[in-house]
Amino acid sequence: MSLETKTRNPVEYFGENVFDDRVMRERLPKETYRALKQCVGEGLPLTAKIAEVVANAMKDWAISKGATHYTHWFQPLNGFTAEKHESFISPIDNGGAIMEFSGKMLIKGESDASSFPSGGLRAVFEARGYTMWDPTSPAFLKEDRAGVTLCIPTAFCAWSGEALDEKTPLLRSVKALNKHALRLCRLFGDHDVKQVHTSVGAEQEYFLIDLDHYRQRKDLVLTGRTLFGAKPSKTQEMSDHYYAGLNEQVAGFMKEIDEALWKMGVSAKTKHNEAAPCQHELAPIFSVENISADQNQLIMETLQRVALKHNLACLLHEKPFEYINGSGKHNNWSITTDNGQNLLEPGDNPYDNAKFVVFLCAVIQAIDKHAGLLRVSAASASNDHRLGGYEAPPAVISICLGEPLSDILKNIACQAEHGEESKRMLDFGVPTMPQMYADSCDRNRTSPFAFTGNKFEFRMLGSSQTISWANTILNTIVAETLDEFATRLEGAEDFDGEIQRIIADVYENHSRVIFNGNGYSQEWMEEAARRGLPNLKNTVEAAKELIRPEVVELFDKYDVYDRQEMAARYDIMLDIYTRRILIEARTMAEMARTQLYPAISRYLTEAAQAVKALGDIGKASRSQQDKLDCLISLLDSMDEDIVLLTDKIGRADGMKKDHEACAAFCAGEILPAMNDLRVVTDRLESMVDSRFWPIPTYSEILFNV
Ligand code: ADP
Ligand code: MG
């Protein structure tokens, strides 16, 4: 490690690869800078003239930092980011070349939309799709072996105008939320606020494993998770990995990650070892939703790219290993104004903070009314393995407000007498320790949607998922409630009385969604069923929410998804679910047939020779013979399970065109068949001489033994 990297102060290079406000102020003519700021601030379209000047400044800046290429960087509906690099090179008459980048190239790119999921919105022969510059998320430079590339965050839509990405609906949902939150702010006499946004901070969990182990396992490479693996002697029962000191390899990786992200303006803040062996977490400081969503994609990309340089593979799959925790992504979310207010900040006395209570009630009503939708926002083939598995929230949506805030809400709703909340001093029993107050409520790790002081933390998201989709849903359902409240208050003769009635109504009709207890317990599952809260167990069940007429109407009304776009999302969700499960099933059958079965057979041959050898000298061993019999019968059942699974894959292939039927078949038939094959194979793994096992085991991958 050079002294230079050791001592370089991050303040000197934070954001140096971002075309941010500082750079624009410096490099753009004053009037262009002002016009651009105004367009972005007020959500107005950009003129071609502004774009031309900005493009030129952006190109000069990028080239001065070594860039040779640019790319429109977007988020199609396959869950990844997409980029097509174009060089700035343009030949000129005398044989040389110039570096060229125009306003047109900045604003609009064209791509083949038919190779990205479109849910039937685009047929193969109608391929045109457009990427369009999103000036609200700054362009940045990516450094890798390709050199330096200028990345321009863009939206992606079809030639016919429908959104084919995650960004566009997110931006539309913020527009809806902004409109109705502003109405409410005005009603509370707040006329200074010009824009309302959400603030989002996404905590990212991931696994790091040895790259050689990773490459030796087809399941990890092709599906992101282990499809086989007997339980190792040690898992996470000692909780000795959580917050443990970092080993040198991981520490070096994390250092490079921090530096790479800081350069790109991502404020990576916390890093630590997580509960499962080889599991880690990174959290940036929150920012505006659109930027947070882009940055989370960038974080995932960077984690995977940098890991390879350290001879590691970064796994973002929600459940790479059985028997230990999977990885999630906590989406911290609040509603904020352009003049610095957090509308979910209770302040010192929530009883006197009607605005806070009304916004809080809007969230409560939205979540209860659309619990199913929030569930869909976290649904995927991979996240299905986590939810409800005593390591992540259950599939039932509830809100944890904490006892003090629940009491406050109840007292206001019922107009009950109340005392002031008193602050409790923490008593450590050691006089030299600093004195401090306890937080007003404890943490609740088991709640899917928890109020954490001045924001909500949505804990169901999976580690590999984009946060855009969940935030789009969250913003839209809250916009609907804010709209309803604003309409009631605008028409009210007695403003304070109407506020009281709104709070009482929310308490009466929606407080069933509030639950402060243990979300992992069986009692809660029973209680939730009594309260009538939906329990959508898997993606196929959850996805049906998207075709409910009220839901389609909701997104259409708030201009977030029109009817076709929503139908497409539903179709894409099932299609991706099916594809992923079928890839897993085929990988599993192939590994079983071509790697594991032959290895077990080889061991069996050796074991049979040993039995024969001892028999030949009149020393037959009972235990050897029993073991051989047991192995043979397990191997035969393994073979039967391979045949059954292969047969089911064939049947699924035959119904692929019907996405609904095929997804249901995958959930109901393929997954159980995969499970059967795994159970018998894992038993065999635990009996076979480890020298014969052809792929790295859980102990090897997780503990290097
Ligand atoms: P914990 O693990 O206790 O939940 P972390 O520090 O790991 O806490 O992550 C908390 C996340 O919440 C960070 O990304 C932080 O920036 C974010 N956050 C804090 N305040 C807000 C807020 N008002 N709105 C949105 N996100 C916030
Ligand atoms: Mg955390």
Side-chain angles (χ1 to χ4, degrees):
M1 189 191 308
S2 75
L3 196 64
E4 203 246 338
T5 58
K6 210 173 176 181
T7 53
R8 211 171 153 212
N9 182 346
V11 172
E12 287 165 19
Y13 62 89
F14 184 85
E16 73 176 13
N17 284 350
V18 187
F19 193 73
D20 59 14
D21 197 63
R22 287 176 307 184
V23 184
M24 287 196 273
R25 197 187 283 265
E26 194 187 301
R27 289 183 170 256
L28 292 176
K30 259 205 190 85
E31 55 291 8
T32 313
Y33 172 76
R34 237 183 276 127
L36 178 65
K37 289 290 273 188
Q38 200 187 0
C39 287
V40 171
E42 294 170 21
L44 302 171
L46 280 162
T47 64
K49 206 171 134 215
I50 300 177
E52 198 59 45
V53 182
V54 175
N56 209 34
M58 211 184 255
K59 177 194 73 179
D60 289 345
W61 168 78
I63 291 171
S64 76
K65 289 180 160 288
T68 51
H69 289 71
Y70 73 94
T71 178
H72 279 193
W73 186 77
F74 60 103
Q75 295 157 39
L77 296 171
N78 58 11
F80 306 104
T81 45
E83 49 192 44
K84 180 176 108 190
H85 297 202
E86 311 254 7
S87 76
F88 291 119
I89 289 286
S90 174
I92 49 175
D93 288 346
N94 67 3
I98 53 163
M99 298 294 251
E100 191 189 41
F101 186 56
S102 66
K104 255 199 200 133
M105 294 164 169
L106 167 65
I107 291 185
K108 197 175 106 190
E110 215 187 298
S111 83
D112 179 352
S114 67
S115 299
F116 294 110
S118 71
L121 287 174
R122 302 265 68 199
V124 179
F125 65 95
E126 328 168 290
R128 211 188 287 269
Y130 297 117
T131 50
M132 280 161 317
W133 181 34
D134 166 20
T136 60
S137 182
F140 58 93
L141 301 174
K142 214 158 50 171
E143 292 173 305
D144 53 23
R145 288 243 183 112
V148 181
T149 307
L150 170 67
C151 299
I152 300 155
T154 51
F156 179 48
C157 73
W159 175 79
S160 38
E162 293 94 355
L164 292 177
D165 70 343
E166 302 284 0
K167 184 189 271 285
T168 310
L170 177 66
L171 293 173
R172 293 174 181 165
S173 74
V174 181
K175 199 169 142 209
L177 183 91
N178 171 58
K179 178 172 170 192
H180 301 293
L182 271 183
R183 284 170 67 201
L184 266 185
C185 286
R186 302 273 184 270
L187 284 161
F188 279 99
D190 193 341
H191 296 279
D192 296 339
V193 179
K194 290 203 179 56
Q195 261 196 353
V196 175
H197 267 281
T198 57
S199 53
V200 174
E203 302 163 47
Q204 177 71 49
E205 292 183 338
Y206 59 94
F207 278 84
L208 282 179
I209 63 165
D210 184 273
L211 188 58
D212 294 332
H213 287 153
Y214 172 79
R215 289 201 172 127
Q216 286 170 52
R217 294 209 43 147
K218 271 190 190 159
D219 47 3
L220 280 176
V221 174
L222 299 180
T223 75
R225 74 176 176 117
T226 52
L227 300 167
F228 298 99
K231 188 174 181 177
S233 323
K234 181 181 185 220
T235 54
Q236 62 185 57
E237 49 276 88
M238 299 301 292
S239 302
D240 50 354
H241 194 255
Y242 191 59
Y243 280 22
L246 307 174
N247 75 38
E248 283 292 282
Q249 191 184 19
V250 169
F253 162 82
M254 286 184 174
K255 180 177 191 292
E256 190 170 342
I257 284 289
D258 279 341
E259 287 170 359
L261 291 175
W262 289 339
K263 277 185 174 179
M264 293 187 286
V266 180
S267 51
K269 176 81 173 164
T270 58
K271 53 184 180 186
H272 64 85
N273 285 346
E274 256 298 335
C278 299
Q279 193 185 28
H280 313 278
E281 181 181 307
L282 183 159
I285 296 175
F286 66 93
S287 52
V288 169
E289 72 292 308
N290 180 32
I291 294 184
S292 229
D294 281 353
Q295 292 193 341
N296 183 252
Q297 296 297 126
L298 200 51
I299 288 173
M300 291 194 284
E301 261 183 57
T302 311
L303 286 170
Q304 292 187 299
R305 180 170 56 77
V306 172
L308 298 176
K309 290 168 74 180
H310 292 256
N311 210 28
L312 293 163
C314 171
L315 310 179
L316 294 173
H317 192 284
E318 281 75 6
K319 192 74 184 173
F321 304 100
E322 272 310 313
Y323 319 113
I324 56 175
N325 281 8
S327 299
K329 176 143 51 194
H330 294 173
N331 188 79
N332 295 272
W333 175 93
S334 191
I335 310 173
T336 49
T337 68
D338 61 338
N339 62 353
Q341 299 174 60
N342 176 351
L343 296 168
L344 291 175
E345 167 64 59
D348 287 338
N349 189 2
Y351 281 108
D352 286 340
N353 193 345
K355 192 156 98 184
F356 160 72
V357 180
V358 166
F359 274 92
L360 179 73
C361 282
V363 179
I364 295 171
Q365 171 169 319
I367 303 298
D368 183 46
K369 201 169 158 197
H370 298 292
L373 259 183
L374 206 61
R375 168 70 184 90
V376 188
S377 79
S380 74
S382 43
N383 210 23
D384 280 355
H385 296 291
R386 250 181 95 238
L387 299 178
Y390 303 101
E391 54 166 289
V396 177
I397 300 275
S398 63
I399 300 178
C400 171
L401 280 188
E403 298 295 346
L405 195 54
S406 305
D407 287 345
I408 290 168
L409 190 67
K410 183 170 160 200
N411 290 339
I412 299 176
C414 310
Q415 293 181 291
E417 290 289 315
H418 62 84
E420 289 300 303
E421 198 199 330
S422 63
K423 286 200 161 180
R424 182 170 61 87
M425 202 55 118
L426 280 175
D427 180 8
F428 295 105
V430 180
T432 48
M433 301 267 273
Q435 297 212 315
M436 56 176 108
Y437 288 113
D439 286 312
S440 64
C441 61
D442 206 349
R443 276 169 181 253
N444 182 335
R445 285 265 158 222
T446 63
S447 175
F449 201 81
F451 188 71
T452 48
N454 61 3
K455 60 180 160 56
F456 278 97
E457 187 171 348
F458 180 43
R459 300 211 180 98
M460 274 179 138
L461 278 188
S463 46
S464 69
Q465 288 178 307
T466 157
I467 60 169
S468 301
W469 172 225
N471 283 290
T472 300
I473 289 178
L474 199 50
N475 297 343
T476 310
I477 63 181
V478 173
E480 180 196 45
T481 313
L482 293 175
D483 181 10
E484 182 194 314
F485 291 180
T487 305
R488 277 177 72 171
L489 288 168
E490 281 161 358
E493 278 166 23
D494 168 12
F495 184 74
D496 291 344
E498 191 61 26
I499 287 183
Q500 176 63 39
R501 275 188 292 279
I502 285 176
I503 298 170
D505 286 350
V506 170
Y507 192 76
E508 187 182 330
N509 300 321
H510 302 289
S511 60
R512 62 173 190 165
V513 78
I514 300 172
F515 175 66
N516 296 323
N518 178 4
Y520 293 178
S521 69
Q522 188 49 39
E523 294 85 67
W524 167 235
M525 288 301 98
E526 287 155 21
E527 168 66 17
R530 272 194 296 278
R531 293 190 193 182
L533 301 177
N535 185 357
L536 302 167
K537 293 207 176 65
N538 62 31
T539 300
V540 181
E541 265 183 53
K544 292 206 174 74
E545 286 292 307
L546 300 180
I547 47 171
R548 280 179 43 212
E550 307 90 274
V551 168
V552 175
E553 178 62 37
L554 167 77
F555 284 104
D556 196 37
K557 179 172 173 196
Y558 291 95
D559 292 326
V560 177
Y561 289 103
D562 68 21
R563 284 158 198 278
Q564 278 105 319
E565 286 169 337
M566 203 24 128
R569 275 240 59 146
Y570 172 66
D571 188 62
I572 291 169
M573 192 158 193
L574 294 181
D575 188 25
I576 289 183
Y577 174 85
T578 308
R579 283 171 200 257
R580 290 186 61 183
I581 291 189
L582 287 179
I583 291 171
E584 286 187 350
R586 282 192 292 264
T587 306
M588 197 171 192
E590 184 188 317
M591 283 173 76
R593 253 192 332 262
T594 63
Q595 290 186 291
L596 306 180
Y597 185 97
I600 300 163
S601 298
R602 280 195 294 278
Y603 172 60
L604 218 57
T605 312
E606 189 181 282
Q609 279 162 357
V611 170
K612 183 169 182 302
L614 287 188
D616 285 350
I617 57 167
K619 298 270 182 197
S621 149
R622 194 56 274 120
S623 68
Q624 256 192 352
Q625 284 173 7
D626 286 352
K627 204 167 153 220
L628 189 63
D629 289 343
C630 180
L631 280 169
I632 291 170
S633 99
L634 283 173
L635 190 67
D636 287 347
S637 7
M638 179 181 169
D639 187 56
E640 279 163 27
D641 287 340
I642 297 172
V643 172
L644 276 175
L645 179 60
T646 310
D647 173 56
K648 286 187 176 170
I649 295 169
R651 282 166 56 198
D653 283 337
M655 55 170 86
K656 252 192 199 149
K657 287 221 168 70
D658 183 347
H659 292 167
E660 258 174 1
C662 197
F665 185 79
C666 284
E669 297 283 333
I670 301 265
L671 282 175
M674 287 170 63
N675 193 50
D676 289 346
L677 175 57
R678 174 163 188 161
V679 169
V680 65
T681 313
D682 287 357
R683 257 192 88 191
L684 280 160
E685 182 193 326
S686 67
M687 295 170 69
V688 166
D689 181 340
S690 58
R691 284 177 302 132
F692 284 80
W693 205 250
I695 55 175
T697 63
Y698 270 32
S699 305
E700 283 166 323
I701 298 173
L702 299 174
F703 300 103
N704 242 328
V705 287

